[in-house]
Amino acid sequence: MTEAKLPHTLSELHRDFESGVWTPVSITEAFLARAKRNRLNAWLTLCEERALSQAKQLQQILVARGGRVPRDSHPLFGAPTGVKDNIAVADIRMTCASRILDNYITPYSATVVEKLENAGAITLGKLNLDEFAMGGSNENSAFGRVLHPTHPDRVPGGSSGGSAAAVAAQECLISLGSDTGGSIRLPASYCGVVGMKPTYGRVSRFGLVAFASSLDQIGPFANTVDDAARVLQVISGFDRFDSTSTSNSSVGLVPSLSLKGLRVGLPTDLGFENVSLGVKSAMTQVLDLLKRAGVTVVPVELPYVRHAIAVYYLIAVSEASSNLSRFDGVRFGARVEGARGAQSLEAFHAENRSLFGPEVKRRILLGTFALSSGYSEEYFLRAARVRKLISDDINAAFSHVDVLLSPISVSTAFKAGEKTQDPLQMYLNDLYTIPANLAGIPAMSLPWGRDSDQLPVGVQIMAPPGHDEKLLGFAQTLENLREQAE
Amino acid sequence: MSTEFEAVIGLEVHVQLATETKIFCACPAKPTRGTSVSEVKPNAFLCPICAGHPGTLPVLNRKVVELAAKAGLALSCSVREESRFDRKNYFYADLPKGYQITQYTLPICEWGTLSFETQRGNKSVRIRRIHLEEDAGKSIHEGDSTLVNLNRAGVPLIELVTEPDFRHPDEAADYLRELHAIVTSLGVSDGNLQEGNFRCDSNVSVRLQGTEKFGTRVEIKNVNSFRFVEKAIEYEIARQVEVIKAGGKVVQETRTFDSDRGVTLSMRTKEEAEDYRYFPDPDLVAVRISRDELAKWRSEIPELPQAKRKRYQSDWGLSLYDASLIVSQPVFSSLFEECLARVSSKEQAVAKSIANILTGEVAKRLNEDSSLGLSQGLRADHLVDLARLARDQVISSAGLKQALNVAWKTGESIATIVEIHGLKQVSDLTTLEPVVDQVLTEFASQFEEFKSGKEKVIGFLVGQIMKRSGGKANPVLLQQLIRKRVNP
Amino acid sequence: MENQLPPAHQSSPEERVRRLALLARIKLSDEEVRAFAPQLETILKHVSEIQHVDVGDVRPMLSALDGRDAESRADSPRNADDQVNQSQRTLQCAPESSADSFVVPPVL
């Protein structure tokens, strides 16, 4: 029996529910079957029983409503969803792709997960990532790398590689990832899906295992801008369990944006002269379309942005070195066998913490250095000062442009193993995405076709802090333009 | 201590704030009323947040800001409009996150003073800073393991740091008593020493008299009784002097105080000097206090212990001892204030008498029976009535004790109790004189003994008269009457 | 773990790695020390470029929320059942527990 066509968007899903093509249970089973095959190694844990039980409840609701989907109260009704495995789902294993949490069952749910599920989303399972979100290719997972959805010898990008690949490969309809220096946007662009990092503070971090607290944000992956917006609307908003979540209301309705007279900034320091052909071609196309639609393209100078990588790799690793101190095998998590016989508490801790992977260890050592006495002024604090300069540059740019446009990366998905020899090479790949995290502004990767190798390309859109709606509006308009052009 | 040396002492006191919940999560910060800390199961006051589970975040308890600010205001500190939390990074079994959230760079209060009485007169000590921080849990050694109890982890503390202005161990104890009285009377802390709510670290060094340079200082950690702090510092000063006199150098280190042996002991020195890698906590933004809030809190600060003691002495004639005792216990002082509200300013004797009852009989009963609460049954009107009856010699001191105990148990009015138990003593001379004469005649030989100087016999004679008068004779008056008959 | 390491500015890259690993409580094999030392040096050299940036008197930006008040909460506890639930679920995560306590090797 041929399976009915899987819906590509929430709208399609809800229409399918109402026409009876799919039911919450059957759609869950269909996606679970694909997830179980785990062709891309995107999934670390599946919660079958839990998902089916959620589906059954939703099914009852649907029946009680005479087959009408309650879109207002449950905007994500029945959406098969994946959650990056550094975001807590109560009573489900959460590994952060690390051996040190191999057996950890978290006792509580992240606020975003509660919100998602209250809105009707069905959590299928936990998605693979670079260990503790540290990486740009999902090759740093203790449980094996994630494969690119269409080119298995390539990387899906990271650190939310599993989250991007699973949506691209239709193993779930939407997913959640986290973005500290580009970890949503980079895999979104490599895999050809929409991925968005909201304004810092608009989505609660309670339940997100902290990597760099002042940079981390949770965000959605989806096939369309509209779906990404809907997820963001559900998960955003003030959370009393997160002091860094802003009292702004949740992300609101996406305005329809007229492009005529809109000013789009092109940062010259984040230019596309030296990028791959595929990226250059995509950027050129986008700009063409925009100009023909009446947009004014303005070159923008962000002179301090060239220091963004150095700043990021000091601040992020410093915060991370402290955030990861809680992993010591005492109150939760794994222990090294035999560690219990250690001669001292120091040895016990050190033994257990050797379970971290090499990239995590490197960053902890770096961060420990940057914060240590005699060096913190010159490294950590100085980086924070340069961060201010970068952020001021970006905010100044927004005083005369509406949005910023740039590539996401210098190339499309690279081959597995290509950049693992030299950690610095991997870091340099984050050039385009890091500035948005440093300034706390919203940023998205919008898929824009494929290159000559059929690898997806993404373009980056950035908006002023708090203007997530404007970003989504612009992105949606651009998405429509793209579809018309195809 | 040898007079060629001078001691230089600074104190750091950790005070637990009187909140219901911990500083960054909703776990209880103290046991429910009636339960003692030792009765609470280990790790009952625990949740993923204070246990440092991955993904959890701290959210500040508003009340701690108010209490810390009030402490600062009472100690004449400047209270910062904007202060910040920092992370102090180190590893220990009872430190769940691998860092303590504290205030390093921008503490909530700075530069205040505390004035207090010492045996050498009034002394003023500078308070360098008051900052907020979270407490750690407790580790207990047991066999080949250490057991960790995180009930205390996350309890809110303020740390008050003085400049090294003390020169004598007894000053340190006096300071602590005064500080304790202040924070308890403000309601900033419950100040329960046994439960570790008020802990003192002392920094002690010595130097030759007349030198300006400070000697090497030694820290004595976690002593939680004022007497022991004094003893620990005393011992440490002597120890350091001895070391120097023997030609050695004082080692900078941390020591503990063994109260049984009365000595300070070196803690095992750590292998590597700790580098705490302080940096601002990115999960918490600035702590801001508005001018309005500060003004409101300032207006809520009650009369401070020193002012209260002075008032009790000057307005009511209390002794320094009685005044200090009452002021040092918030329950006593609030009850006493209620009593004062009921007496006229001319009734100093009554006030003094009430003070005596509180510091004498009431304190004694509270010590004897720890289950007894002051609020159960005993009221201001009881104390005032008792004091007035005693002043008017309507009841004897034995009668007062009895009436007090009954009032405490039943809550009935003193008038009723005196009636029911027939506690009115007879002071009428026409009734008493004949009985006195009778007894002195009957027991003439004992009276002779008393006349010849045996003071103790008067007790026997009074006892006999009491028997004859059904126990109601005023014993004080009886003594006077007997003595009058010695020298007519 | 070594007792006395030379002060940081005088150390070799490998000594530096060992000292940092001690501070960070991570046990590294000799192989790891040898591998990490040059990597850390390379990265440090790259990030040190910010020391040449003229920062003037710009204040450090520690958060994208600088300038905002902390959200704080009222001093109210959970209800008793909730509290029991929270503490039990949290304690259950312990790799080793005894008499309701977390267990570690002897501290001293």
Side-chain angles (χ1 to χ4, degrees):
Chain A
M1 179 178 93
T2 49
E3 200 182 57
K5 180 166 161 295
L6 287 174
H8 200 61
T9 65
L10 282 166
S11 296
E12 283 175 25
L13 177 72
H14 291 166
R15 277 202 306 269
D16 286 349
F17 283 155
E18 286 174 342
S19 65
V21 170
W22 292 103
T23 67
V25 172
S26 68
I27 198 76
T28 302
E29 286 169 339
F31 274 97
L32 271 175
R34 296 170 71 84
K36 265 196 209 169
R37 270 176 252 142
N38 218 3
R39 181 172 66 87
L40 308 173
N41 197 31
W43 300 89
L44 292 175
T45 303
L46 286 175
C47 350
E48 251 186 279
E49 260 182 55
R50 191 174 182 278
L52 286 170
S53 144
Q54 284 175 326
K56 287 188 183 121
Q57 278 182 18
L58 292 174
Q59 195 131 309
Q60 286 176 355
I61 295 178
L62 194 58
V63 166
R65 307 272 180 128
R68 289 216 51 104
V69 170
R71 286 171 180 76
D72 287 337
S73 57
H74 295 69
L76 304 180
F77 190 90
T81 306
V83 174
K84 186 175 183 182
D85 203 19
N86 62 353
I87 298 172
V89 177
D91 305 317
I92 302 292
R93 179 176 172 247
M94 175 164 73
T95 66
C96 298
S98 178
R99 287 189 301 149
I100 212 171
L101 286 181
D102 191 3
N103 58 355
Y104 175 60
I105 313 257
T106 172
Y108 74 102
S109 269
T111 301
V112 295
V113 168
E114 286 185 356
K115 285 183 163 178
L116 272 184
E117 296 186 336
N118 285 339
I122 297 174
T123 306
L124 299 181
K126 309 304 292 299
L127 293 161
N128 206 347
L129 61 155
D130 278 300
E131 187 179 356
F132 285 108
M134 299 182 186
S137 62
N138 218 141
E139 293 175 282
N140 289 334
S141 166
F143 305 104
R145 73 175 180 93
V146 173
L147 275 50
H148 187 277
T150 52
H151 295 61
D153 60 334
R154 292 185 184 254
V155 301
S159 62
S160 315
S163 302
V167 170
Q170 291 197 293
E171 293 179 2
C172 57
L173 189 63
I174 56 176
S175 71
L176 288 185
S178 70
D179 189 312
T180 305
S183 290
I184 287 178
R185 292 160 286 157
L186 187 66
S189 89
Y190 283 7
C191 294
V193 294
V194 175
M196 177 156 167
K197 178 199 88 69
T199 300
Y200 184 84
R202 288 200 85 173
V203 174
S204 166
R205 290 185 299 117
F206 185 75
L208 169 65
V209 180
F211 161 11
S213 318
S214 76
L215 303 168
D216 294 341
Q217 273 291 274
I218 295 176
F221 287 94
N223 289 308
T224 60
V225 173
D226 185 45
D227 278 4
R230 292 195 207 190
V231 175
L232 208 52
Q233 278 156 15
V234 167
I235 62 174
S236 57
F238 172 68
D239 178 19
R240 64 193 175 92
F241 288 101
D242 176 359
S243 293
T244 60
S245 82
T246 52
S247 313
N248 284 0
S249 51
S250 354
V251 170
L253 289 176
V254 175
S256 61
L257 225 53
S258 158
L259 290 181
K260 222 168 160 59
L262 202 75
R263 298 157 307 164
V264 170
L266 271 190
T268 47
D269 308 84
L270 298 177
F272 51 100
E273 291 75 44
N274 298 322
V275 302
S276 76
L277 223 54
V279 174
K280 188 183 258 188
S281 151
M283 286 298 297
T284 315
Q285 258 184 49
V286 169
L287 288 168
D288 258 350
L289 271 178
L290 284 174
K291 283 182 198 159
R292 274 189 270 140
V295 152
T296 316
V297 175
V298 180
V300 155
E301 298 220 339
L302 305 172
Y304 287 107
V305 119
R306 72 193 57 147
H307 305 292
I309 291 179
V311 168
Y312 174 78
Y313 278 100
L314 280 168
I315 293 182
V317 301
S318 297
E319 293 181 357
S321 71
S322 177
N323 284 328
L324 266 57
S325 293
R326 64 193 66 209
F327 299 102
D328 58 9
V330 175
R331 296 160 315 289
F332 52 80
R335 291 178 166 184
V336 163
E337 222 184 286
R340 188 58 177 80
Q343 291 307 306
S344 65
L345 187 68
E346 285 91 339
F348 178 69
H349 280 163
E351 194 70 62
N352 291 329
R353 289 163 63 75
S354 70
L355 288 172
F356 286 129
E359 183 59 35
V360 174
K361 283 178 180 162
R362 255 193 301 268
R363 296 194 192 197
I364 292 177
L365 294 175
L366 251 175
T368 304
F369 173 80
L371 288 174
S372 56
S373 161
Y375 294 100
S376 68
E377 187 68 43
E378 276 316 296
Y379 286 90
F380 174 75
L381 282 173
R382 180 164 264 267
R385 292 195 153 94
V386 180
R387 177 181 180 177
K388 181 74 166 78
L389 295 171
I390 295 171
S391 177
D392 284 349
D393 269 358
I394 292 175
N395 284 320
F398 280 126
S399 64
H400 54 273
V401 299
D402 296 294
V403 295
L404 292 171
L405 209 64
S406 84
I408 291 275
S409 172
V410 294
S411 71
T412 50
F414 50 87
K415 291 216 165 97
E418 200 176 286
K419 296 192 199 255
T420 48
Q421 294 314 303
D422 179 5
L424 192 58
Q425 277 312 302
M426 196 71 88
Y427 297 173
L428 295 173
N429 205 33
D430 293 331
L431 170 66
Y432 294 99
T433 48
I434 280 174
N437 300 85
L438 295 178
I441 60 174
M444 171 199 282
S445 175
L446 182 69
W448 201 271
R450 290 170 185 263
D451 69 4
S452 55
D453 291 323
Q454 291 309 302
L455 289 164
V457 188
V459 298
Q460 177 168 234
I461 307 165
M462 293 176 268
H467 289 250
D468 306 65
E469 291 84 337
K470 179 192 262 186
L471 191 161
L472 288 162
F474 177 77
Q476 181 137 87
T477 311
L478 199 49
E479 190 184 58
N480 292 338
L481 276 182
R482 183 194 76 203
E483 264 149 38
Q484 284 163 26
E486 278 160 5
Chain B
M1 181 183 74
S2 149
T3 48
E4 54 178 310
F5 283 94
E6 173 181 66
V8 174
I9 306 155
L11 297 180
E12 290 168 13
V13 183
H14 290 91
V15 176
Q16 176 173 343
L17 296 177
T19 57
E20 293 298 317
T21 61
K22 293 186 175 182
I23 187 171
F24 295 121
C25 69
C27 285
K30 59 185 181 196
T32 46
R33 236 179 221 290
T35 330
S36 85
V37 152
S38 52
E39 290 171 317
V40 178
K41 258 173 43 171
N43 296 303
F45 299 164
L46 193 69
C47 74
I49 300 169
C50 54
H53 272 243
T56 56
L57 295 170
V59 179
L60 183 63
N61 176 344
R62 260 198 285 285
K63 188 92 181 145
V64 314
V65 181
E66 177 188 332
L67 295 179
K70 281 183 169 170
L73 289 171
L75 295 170
S76 314
C77 296
S78 21
V79 178
R80 272 185 194 278
E81 260 173 46
E82 186 174 312
S83 63
R84 219 176 45 194
F85 284 108
D86 299 299
R87 293 189 186 178
K88 178 179 183 181
N89 295 281
Y90 66 99
F91 290 86
Y92 203 64
D94 56 21
L95 192 68
K97 298 185 286 295
Y99 58 85
Q100 177 198 34
I101 300 178
T102 177
Q103 293 187 304
Y104 184 65
T105 331
L106 296 177
I108 185 171
C109 307
E110 283 184 309
W111 292 121
T113 46
L114 178 51
S115 301
F116 54 101
E117 292 302 314
T118 73
Q119 57 178 265
R120 294 167 206 85
N122 186 276
K123 184 166 176 81
S124 234
V125 157
R126 293 167 296 169
I127 310 265
R128 172 70 183 83
R129 50 188 277 149
I130 303 178
H131 70 253
L132 285 163
E133 61 180 38
E134 54 176 352
D135 207 351
K138 270 197 162 77
S139 321
I140 305 171
H141 199 90
E142 205 171 271
D144 70 342
S145 350
T146 298
L147 300 181
V148 180
N149 173 2
L150 297 178
N151 281 346
R152 282 205 74 92
V155 156
L157 305 174
I158 41 172
E159 183 176 335
L160 299 99
V161 182
T162 72
E163 287 289 273
D165 290 345
F166 301 93
R167 297 287 175 270
H168 304 273
D170 57 89
E171 285 174 356
D174 290 332
Y175 165 86
L176 292 173
R177 281 186 198 100
E178 187 65 11
L179 181 62
H180 185 272
I182 291 175
V183 297
T184 51
S185 71
L186 280 177
V188 160
S189 172
D190 296 335
N192 188 323
L193 290 141
Q194 285 94 322
E195 310 208 324
N197 294 355
F198 193 93
R199 312 186 303 245
C200 183
D201 296 345
S202 337
N203 290 307
V204 183
S205 67
V206 299
R207 63 185 176 190
L208 287 170
Q209 290 276 8
T211 43
E212 273 196 33
K213 188 156 176 272
F214 288 138
T216 308
R217 62 170 211 216
V218 166
E219 188 185 11
I220 309 170
K221 274 194 99 59
N222 270 337
V223 185
N224 58 354
S225 118
F226 310 141
R227 232 177 19 98
F228 287 160
V229 168
E230 189 175 335
K231 287 208 169 320
I233 297 175
E234 238 172 57
Y235 175 84
E236 181 59 23
I237 293 168
R239 185 192 74 83
Q240 289 189 14
V241 168
E242 241 187 77
V243 164
I244 295 175
K245 279 189 159 162
K249 277 197 154 82
V250 174
V251 171
Q252 181 176 358
E253 58 173 349
T254 305
R255 298 171 79 88
T256 53
F257 181 61
D258 180 337
S259 52
D260 293 330
R261 289 159 52 197
V263 303
T264 62
L265 298 168
S266 185
M267 290 172 75
R268 265 259 295 264
T269 47
K270 296 198 192 129
E271 289 179 5
E272 159 116 358
E274 276 295 0
D275 178 352
Y276 294 118
R277 288 159 277 137
Y278 290 100
F279 74 103
D281 193 319
D283 293 326
L284 293 160
V285 284
V287 180
R288 283 211 183 79
I289 300 175
S290 73
R291 294 226 182 131
D292 287 343
E293 273 179 307
L294 206 57
K296 175 169 177 287
W297 292 338
R298 200 189 293 273
S299 73
E300 288 169 4
I301 293 185
E303 183 186 30
L304 292 177
Q306 194 173 56
K308 205 175 273 224
R309 277 193 302 264
K310 285 206 172 105
R311 176 165 63 87
Y312 289 173
Q313 290 175 264
S314 60
D315 292 2
W316 300 100
L318 261 57
S319 68
L320 176 58
Y321 178 81
D322 279 357
S324 299
L325 201 78
I326 291 177
V327 165
S328 74
Q329 313 251 29
V331 275
F332 277 6
S333 72
S334 57
L335 189 53
F336 190 62
E337 288 292 333
E338 277 180 66
C339 295
L340 292 180
R342 290 161 185 272
V343 303
S344 86
S345 55
K346 299 207 176 82
E347 290 184 278
Q348 270 204 6
V350 173
K352 277 174 79 169
S353 179
I354 294 171
N356 281 332
I357 298 173
L358 279 175
T359 62
E361 196 56 31
V362 173
K364 194 172 99 176
R365 297 273 343 270
L366 285 174
N367 275 336
E368 282 166 0
D369 187 351
S370 60
S371 71
L372 214 52
L374 200 55
S375 51
Q376 301 160 315
L378 196 63
R379 297 188 307 267
D381 61 281
H382 292 146
L383 293 170
V384 172
D385 290 346
L386 281 173
R388 284 190 180 129
L389 292 180
R391 172 197 59 190
D392 300 338
Q393 301 217 27
V394 173
I395 52 175
S396 67
S397 63
L400 187 150
K401 280 194 187 126
Q402 192 178 350
L404 177 69
N405 288 330
V406 176
W408 205 334
K409 256 206 280 264
T410 65
E412 287 173 313
S413 77
I414 295 296
T416 315
I417 296 171
V418 165
E419 250 335 290
I420 296 180
H421 296 263
L423 296 176
K424 277 207 184 121
Q425 62 184 2
V426 178
S427 298
D428 171 41
L429 288 177
T430 48
T431 324
L432 291 181
E433 304 257 29
V435 189
V436 172
D437 288 329
Q438 220 184 2
V439 166
L440 291 186
T441 315
E442 211 184 298
F443 297 94
S445 52
Q446 284 88 338
F447 189 38
E448 284 307 315
E449 280 180 49
F450 178 66
K451 277 204 272 194
S452 68
K454 262 187 136 177
E455 268 296 312
K456 280 200 183 142
V457 186
I458 199 166
F460 170 78
L461 293 169
V462 166
Q464 287 301 316
I465 303 171
M466 294 288 275
K467 257 206 243 171
R468 299 288 160 87
S469 61
K472 299 216 191 185
N474 178 342
V476 171
L477 187 54
L478 290 182
Q479 281 215 14
Q480 288 172 5
L481 292 175
I482 296 173
R483 285 185 202 279
K484 252 180 35 188
R485 282 155 176 68
V486 171
N487 303 309
Chain C
M1 302 217 184
E2 294 165 65
N3 256 341
Q4 317 257 289
L5 291 164
H9 60 277
Q10 285 170 15
S11 339
S12 71
E14 288 194 8
E15 281 166 342
R16 176 148 51 197
V17 168
R18 285 193 202 278
R19 189 174 64 89
L20 293 171
L22 180 60
L23 262 181
R25 297 291 191 275
I26 299 179
K27 181 174 167 196
L28 296 179
S29 66
D30 290 338
E31 212 180 291
E32 280 174 307
V33 174
R34 277 196 297 272
F36 285 158
Q39 287 172 343
L40 249 53
E41 292 304 298
T42 309
I43 296 169
L44 272 176
K45 200 156 142 226
H46 185 92
V47 299
S48 296
E49 57 107 332
I50 56 156
Q51 303 196 354
H52 305 297
V53 178
D54 177 15
V55 293
D57 54 4
V58 156
R59 295 188 59 201
M61 176 179 176
L62 301 156
S63 162
L65 300 168
D66 279 350
R68 254 216 328 121
D69 285 349
E71 293 295 336
S72 50
R73 64 182 168 84
D75 186 28
S76 0
R78 304 181 181 94
N79 76 51
D81 288 333
D82 273 348
Q83 184 59 42
V84 170
N85 187 2
Q86 290 288 339
S87 79
Q88 280 177 355
R89 295 185 71 178
T90 308
L91 194 53
Q92 255 162 41
C93 297
E96 186 184 349
S97 64
S98 165
D100 294 316
S101 302
F102 300 100
V103 182
V104 296
V107 169
L108 281 175

